[in-house]
Amino acid sequence: MELLRNISQQPTNSNRMYEPNQPGSCELRRKRTEDHGHAPAEMSKIITDPATGKCYCRGKVLGKGGFAKCYEMTDLSTSKVYAAKIIPHTRVSKPHQREKIDREIELHRVLHHKHIVHFYHHFEDKDNIYILLEYCSRRSLAHILKARKVLTEPEVRYYLRQIVSGLKYLHEQEILHRDLKLGNFFVSETMELKVGDFGLAAKLEPAGNRRKTICGTPNYLSPEVLNKQGHGCESDVWALGCVMYTMLLGRPPFETTNLKETYRCIREARYSLPSSLSPQAKQLISSLLAKTPEDRPHLDHILRHDFFSQGFVPERLPASCCHSAPEFHVSSPAKSFFKKAAAALFGGKRDKVKYYETLNKLTKEEEEIYKLRHDLKKTVISQQQQNKQMTEVRKGLPPTTRDTIRLIVRGSLGSCSSSSECLEDSTTGSVAETITSVLRGCLENMPKGEPNCSNLQWVTKWVDYSNKYGFGYQLSDHIVGVLFNNGTHMSLLADKKTVHYYAELGQCSVFSTSDVPEHFVGQVTVLKYFAHYMEENLMDGGDLVSQPDTHMPRLYLLQWLKSDRALMMLFNDGTFQVNFYHDHTKIILCTQREEYMLTYINEERVSSTFRLSSLLTSGCPADLRQRMEYSLNMLLQRLEP
């Protein structure tokens, strides 16, 4: 809401503006004249709704806008506090001014969403119009940023996730906000963000019928709005990019000392991305601030970006974040032990003695785990050195797949479990060789052309924390697995009560989360943490679901590999999955009833499943074929001697 921001606290050039000779410019000139003239009559402290007889007590000023002021206002019968937007009739005496207020009321009153400032009631008396809105005691993000200067990336993820949620709701109602900025994002007592100020909001019109009025806040205007092409959903997305940039760096991306230069920078989409930003943050900002509207991501795609999927998103922020940077810790009743155990099991040195003193003595299994971790470390380093030397792929593949792929190879489990669905000789190498042979055979014999679903198990969420502990993932049947840096694997079944532990494939230990062997406490703590993190912070990757399996999990990770473009995962039963970062598409190849099935999940997270035998006769779309070729390329690099 326009009046909840304090104009004097906004950055340079950040006040809402209207282009000269457009509707609205006279209001700002008139306001300045009135402000320098005689003061209006003092408003009463007690305000009565003529229609209901309810009495309200007017409190302190919360903010000012072009037409109005916003006050705290308390219902004297219930003690409920509102943010009241109070507009003098003298400020909206002309028909088009009154129409603007009526339009704002009509748009806002029907909105009901947890991340939209709630509209409660409106009334008027002989002097003023009163709009009663949800009271946000932490004020706005503009106030928070003024105190903090910059925000941390986890905080920005937290706020952006809520802004996108509210904005998506608005766009679904075919409403454009048209003035997204820090001063219009309000923060409740519980640190929940609410999108407000619908003074410039408008119904979405077809491209040809859009009003060409240049309205909004100078630093947040999009190129198409400046060029009088009208305001669409993409213009709100552009403003979102400006908001993200401002939160991370403390200044808008196009701010200059000269308004004409600011507009020139906006039209050219010319701004700087400091090295202090993470690569994921830079990538997301660049996509949001794409010069061409069609090149900006849809709201549905924003939260699937690596900036969110590969970074910590807090569930809640403490109120102290309003004035000081937060400290994020792992929330666990066994936090102190967790740190010692994790450090000892996964690479720490100084805490190792303390950990084993806690356990009193080393068991044989602990010795084996330690040796395995040590051996794995040498193996991974050796594999990485080999992969760095690879500069081209095998001959015979199409030119589109000849990009240099730098693989990071992780995982060491190497033989099959007792599951009847496993391959006969399911070492990591044999799984990769089998999949390579099948995939290459399909591609070499498949015609070009355009060509449905089993209870498929696949990875819906994943998190790479291998710099400390390992690689975590969640399957479509809600089993959570972790392939630890020491080469061991744990699965937490869908019942959240049963753990399966593999020191080696074919050697499975089963125990309850309520009765964890002492020497597994550290790893189980990590497993639970991964499960909680993915459940709370990551979105599912597609529309396929599987029935939860509370018995022996048939699928667990043997090895994962990363390139610049994709993540590849190999599983014990021969399932092979590749996730592509840039568009979040996925390929899953698996055997079902002794037949190979290939599932493709597209950018819209919609899945299609094909028999490999049918692809050999019918062919497949070009985008799928391209991804199959890249996946084969990754496998070939994995097998390169």
Side-chain angles (χ1 to χ4, degrees):
M1 109 191 124
E2 174 186 358
L3 46 106
L4 281 183
R5 74 192 187 289
N6 187 332
I7 292 177
S8 65
Q9 295 179 343
Q10 297 299 307
T12 306
N13 294 341
S14 67
N15 295 333
R16 172 184 291 171
M17 56 78 69
Y18 290 85
E19 184 183 47
N21 304 319
Q22 293 291 338
S25 59
C26 57
E27 282 91 317
L28 292 182
R29 289 196 295 271
R30 186 168 186 268
K31 179 183 184 301
R32 294 189 194 101
T33 302
E34 290 179 358
D35 286 348
H36 289 87
H38 60 82
E42 181 64 29
M43 194 185 306
S44 172
K45 292 284 286 184
I46 304 300
I47 296 164
T48 303
D49 180 348
T52 64
K54 273 197 171 187
C55 293
Y56 302 88
C57 180
R58 179 175 57 83
K60 66 182 181 182
V61 175
L62 298 175
K64 300 176 183 180
F67 288 108
K69 285 185 180 179
C70 189
Y71 296 85
E72 275 188 13
M73 203 149 91
T74 306
D75 185 332
L76 292 177
S77 63
T78 63
S79 298
K80 184 174 178 64
V81 180
Y82 299 93
K85 185 172 185 176
I86 302 179
I87 307 129
H89 284 304
T90 55
R91 293 283 174 86
V92 290
S93 56
K94 295 183 179 179
H96 73 272
Q97 295 171 330
R98 180 60 196 240
E99 285 170 11
K100 179 181 182 299
I101 299 301
D102 290 341
R103 183 170 65 249
E104 178 182 350
I105 290 171
E106 288 307 306
L107 284 176
H108 198 170
R109 70 190 300 177
V110 298
L111 301 178
H112 300 282
H113 189 274
K114 66 178 180 177
H115 295 304
I116 300 288
V117 170
H118 188 67
F119 182 105
Y120 284 102
H121 181 51
H122 80 284
F123 64 92
E124 55 187 285
D125 58 23
K126 63 183 180 61
D127 297 315
N128 305 298
I129 302 166
Y130 305 89
I131 303 174
L132 302 186
L133 303 168
E134 182 177 4
Y135 176 64
C136 296
S137 62
R138 307 288 180 193
R139 305 186 79 178
S140 73
L141 282 187
H143 295 94
I144 292 174
L145 194 70
K146 184 181 180 185
R148 290 281 308 282
K149 310 305 179 191
V150 294
L151 303 183
T152 63
E153 286 199 3
E155 290 174 284
V156 172
R157 292 186 194 100
Y158 172 85
Y159 290 126
L160 278 181
R161 190 168 64 172
Q162 297 179 58
I163 294 169
V164 169
S165 176
L167 190 57
K168 183 181 175 186
Y169 170 78
L170 284 179
H171 288 182
E172 286 170 351
Q173 309 305 309
E174 297 189 330
I175 293 174
L176 303 173
H177 189 281
R178 304 204 305 173
D179 196 23
L180 296 174
K181 60 182 176 182
L182 297 183
N184 289 339
F185 301 132
F186 304 99
V187 183
S188 72
E189 181 71 18
T190 58
M191 296 299 290
E192 278 199 330
L193 184 139
K194 315 278 181 173
V195 180
D197 191 345
F198 293 90
L200 291 182
K203 278 285 186 180
L204 176 64
E205 300 288 348
N209 297 338
R210 291 175 185 171
R211 286 175 286 185
K212 306 301 188 287
T213 304
I214 300 179
C215 63
T217 299
N219 277 316
Y220 296 79
L221 294 176
S222 64
E224 63 271 18
V225 170
L226 275 181
N227 293 331
K228 298 186 179 181
Q229 295 168 343
H231 197 123
C233 294
E234 304 85 359
S235 309
D236 278 350
V237 171
W238 170 279
L240 202 59
C242 296
V243 165
M244 178 180 174
Y245 186 105
T246 306
M247 286 193 285
L248 288 170
L249 295 169
R251 65 183 188 280
F254 304 102
E255 184 177 64
T256 68
T257 56
N258 181 288
L259 198 57
K260 284 187 177 180
E261 180 61 23
T262 293
Y263 289 166
R264 187 179 297 111
C265 291
I266 290 172
R267 286 190 171 99
E268 297 172 5
R270 175 162 45 89
Y271 59 96
S272 61
L273 284 171
S275 58
S276 58
L277 293 176
S278 70
Q280 293 86 354
K282 290 180 183 179
Q283 290 164 10
L284 181 53
I285 289 170
S286 296
S287 65
L288 295 171
L289 296 181
K291 184 177 178 180
T292 305
E294 293 76 17
D295 292 339
R296 297 169 206 154
H298 294 290
L299 291 173
D300 281 335
H301 296 160
I302 291 172
L303 296 183
R304 294 182 225 151
H305 191 276
D306 289 349
F307 178 71
F308 290 94
S309 63
Q310 296 183 16
F312 172 64
V313 185
E315 294 177 58
R316 288 281 177 193
L317 288 179
S320 61
C321 287
C322 293
H323 51 76
S324 58
E327 292 184 14
F328 297 110
H329 300 288
V330 175
S331 177
S332 167
K335 184 166 62 176
S336 60
F337 179 78
F338 164 71
K339 286 183 178 178
K340 293 176 184 177
L345 285 169
F346 315 122
K349 292 181 179 179
R350 286 180 293 180
D351 290 321
K352 199 167 292 176
V353 174
K354 291 182 181 179
Y355 169 69
Y356 286 128
E357 283 175 354
T358 304
L359 300 180
N360 295 322
K361 63 178 182 178
L362 288 172
T363 65
K364 288 184 178 180
E365 191 161 10
E366 285 164 353
E367 289 177 357
E368 289 303 316
I369 290 173
Y370 180 73
K371 290 176 184 176
L372 188 58
R373 179 178 62 79
H374 181 71
D375 293 342
L376 175 62
K377 185 177 179 182
K378 291 192 295 184
T379 302
V380 170
I381 291 172
S382 174
Q383 287 174 323
Q384 288 175 339
Q385 288 172 342
Q386 290 175 16
N387 286 322
K388 283 180 181 178
Q389 296 170 0
M390 296 179 187
T391 57
E392 59 183 46
V393 299
R394 287 178 183 254
K395 296 178 180 179
L397 292 176
T400 54
T401 65
R402 289 177 187 163
D403 327 356
T404 300
I405 298 180
R406 295 190 298 277
L407 296 179
I408 301 173
V409 185
R410 301 289 170 89
S412 67
L413 298 180
S415 61
C416 183
S417 77
S418 57
S419 169
S420 61
E421 295 182 86
C422 289
L423 303 177
E424 287 185 9
D425 180 24
S426 186
T427 63
T428 306
S430 67
V431 170
E433 287 169 359
T434 302
I435 297 296
T436 302
S437 175
V438 169
L439 194 54
R440 181 161 52 189
C442 180
L443 284 166
E444 287 176 352
N445 296 286
M446 182 171 60
K448 293 182 179 178
E450 297 280 343
N452 204 314
C453 180
S454 307
N455 192 30
L456 173 70
Q457 275 186 299
W458 63 290
V459 174
T460 60
K461 304 176 182 181
W462 61 272
V463 57
D464 176 10
Y465 207 171
S466 58
N467 62 328
K468 280 194 175 182
Y469 310 124
F471 183 90
Y473 61 94
Q474 179 176 298
L475 295 171
S476 50
D477 59 2
H478 304 296
I479 289 176
V480 172
V482 176
L483 183 55
F484 290 102
N485 288 348
N486 63 10
T488 61
H489 185 286
M490 273 188 180
S491 293
L492 179 64
L493 271 57
D495 62 5
K496 307 301 181 189
K497 298 176 182 177
T498 310
V499 175
H500 288 247
Y501 170 77
Y502 298 88
E504 294 181 17
L505 289 174
Q507 295 184 7
C508 180
S509 303
V510 181
F511 50 85
S512 168
T513 53
S514 61
D515 187 24
V516 179
E518 195 173 13
H519 48 280
F520 289 144
V521 169
Q523 284 177 288
V524 171
T525 305
V526 175
L527 177 65
K528 286 182 176 179
Y529 171 68
F530 274 38
H532 176 75
Y533 175 82
M534 288 187 284
E535 183 65 30
E536 293 297 318
N537 298 292
L538 303 185
M539 296 175 63
D540 285 329
D543 66 344
L544 281 166
V545 294
S546 305
Q547 293 300 316
D549 187 354
T550 56
H551 304 292
M552 176 71 74
R554 70 173 179 85
L555 195 69
Y556 48 89
L557 191 63
L558 289 179
Q559 191 175 74
W560 57 279
L561 304 92
K562 268 187 171 181
S563 75
D564 292 339
R565 183 179 168 190
L567 164 73
M568 177 177 116
M569 292 167 281
L570 288 170
F571 291 87
N572 63 301
D573 71 342
T575 295
F576 167 67
Q577 181 170 334
V578 179
N579 290 17
F580 293 88
Y581 309 139
H582 70 292
D583 58 6
H584 302 282
T585 55
K586 299 165 186 70
I587 285 179
I588 304 126
L589 185 63
C590 67
T591 55
Q592 298 214 349
R593 299 183 183 88
E594 299 184 353
E595 184 172 14
Y596 274 98
M597 310 291 288
L598 187 141
T599 297
Y600 177 48
I601 300 175
N602 66 16
E603 293 182 57
E604 304 301 323
R605 305 203 308 162
V606 177
S607 62
S608 304
T609 299
F610 310 89
R611 289 184 175 87
L612 221 58
S613 57
S614 69
L615 293 181
L616 280 168
T617 56
S618 305
C620 68
D623 59 334
L624 173 55
R625 185 176 189 125
Q626 211 173 44
R627 287 163 178 77
M628 290 172 70
E629 288 167 348
Y630 189 88
S631 302
L632 176 60
N633 190 12
M634 290 185 75
L635 280 165
L636 291 171
Q637 293 248 16
R638 155 67 181 78
L639 294 170
E640 192 78 35

